[in-house]
Every structure is written in C-alpha cells, then in structure tokens.
C-alpha cells in the first residue's frame, strides 16, 4: 500500500459544479487504498491545505455531510479526494509523472474512517493529472 507519499494534482477537466480547478495545483498526501466491490483501484488522498470551494447552484446537496457545507450551503469544505487511475493498467506509485486519474471530492468523512470506497459518498470532479510531489519544481 502506498502511503505517506505526496502527489500534486495539477490539471482537472470535467464537470464545472465547483470552482476547484481555480485552486490548482493541489498538494495531496496519499492516505491509503480503499477497498471496493467496483473494478479499479481507489486511493484516499488528504488535501494538504483544506479549502472551501464554491458549489454551482444546480449541485444536489442532500447527500453531502452537513459538516462539510458552509452555513448557507453555497460552499463545500474539501479536505480529501479519492483518485483512481484512468487506465486500468496504471497504479499510483512513487515517481509518477502526468498520471491520468479520475478525481472525486469526499462528501462524507466516513469514507476515510471506513476505508471503503462508496460512490454515493463522493462527488466526481473530473479527469486530472497527478505527479509525485518530489518531481515538481518548488515554486518561488
């Protein structure tokens, strides 16, 4: 299991239900692989600097844990993502560069506590690219 590795999400294309793409690049720490009955490999990644993202007005909110929503329901607190490689023959490992992944925001902290991937507890953000943080030049 790959843990304690830092990765950087530096590209994200997909559904514009949040303004998370405006906050890229995101540094993530790999917390561990999630069990799942679905095909694929799913990893829980903690966001290094938790953030608030604006939600589109059309976004359904009933399945989002109340503790992760702003008081007025207009924003989501993002502290973790679930990523899965876009190609079934790829894995999240040290040294990755431009690894295409599907990314989803964790909408219920139970995902991290249970260690089980549940599609109803995440919100799909789109397809992105990940790099091992050690391979990304330090910004000045």
């Amino acid at each position: 299991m790959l843990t304690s590795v830092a990765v950087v999400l530096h590209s994200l294309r997909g559904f514009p239900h949040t303004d998370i793409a405006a906050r890229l690049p995101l540094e993530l720490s790999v917390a561990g692989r999630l069990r799942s009955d679905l095909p694929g490999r799913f990893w829980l990644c903690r966001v290094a600097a938790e953030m608030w993202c604006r939600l589109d007005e059309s976004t359904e909110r009933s399945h989002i844990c109340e503790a992760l929503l702003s008081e007025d329901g207009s924003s989501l607190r993002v502290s973790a993502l679930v990523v899965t490689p876009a190609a079934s023959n790829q894995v999240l490992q040290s040294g990755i560069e431009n690894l295409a992944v599907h990314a989803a925001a964790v909408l219920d902290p139970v995902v991290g506590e249970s260690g089980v991937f549940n599609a109803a507890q995440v919100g799909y953000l789109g397809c992105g690219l990940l790099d091992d943080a050690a391979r990304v030049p330090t910004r000045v």
Side-chain angles (χ1 to χ4, degrees):
M1 182 186 298
L2 178 71
T3 58
S4 302
V5 171
V7 294
V8 175
L9 180 67
H10 61 85
S11 176
L12 190 62
R13 295 174 191 247
F15 300 93
H17 296 296
T18 73
D19 63 349
I20 195 167
R23 290 160 174 45
L24 297 178
L26 289 180
E27 187 168 329
L28 309 169
S29 66
V30 179
R33 190 162 168 194
L34 299 171
R35 295 183 310 280
S36 176
D37 291 338
L38 298 173
R41 297 177 179 115
F42 302 90
W43 278 274
L44 178 68
C45 298
R46 305 269 181 221
V47 177
E50 177 178 286
M51 70 188 129
W52 286 92
C53 291
R54 182 187 48 76
L55 293 173
D56 185 84
E57 288 180 24
S58 66
T59 302
E60 175 61 42
R61 290 162 170 76
S62 63
H63 63 292
I64 301 174
C65 176
E66 266 190 50
L68 299 180
L69 285 172
S70 62
E71 200 170 295
D72 66 359
S74 66
S75 298
L76 171 69
R77 181 168 41 102
V78 179
S79 58
L81 302 180
V82 172
V83 298
T84 184
S88 62
N89 65 341
Q90 298 290 312
V91 295
L92 189 58
Q93 60 188 358
S94 297
I96 60 170
E97 191 171 358
N98 287 324
L99 177 68
V101 296
H102 294 285
V106 172
L107 303 179
D108 190 333
V110 170
V111 172
E113 297 163 11
S114 70
V116 176
F117 175 74
N118 180 339
Q121 295 172 321
V122 299
Y124 187 66
L125 297 170
C127 191
L129 296 174
L130 276 182
D131 286 330
D132 184 321
R135 301 181 67 93
V136 177
T138 306
R139 288 188 274 164
V140 180

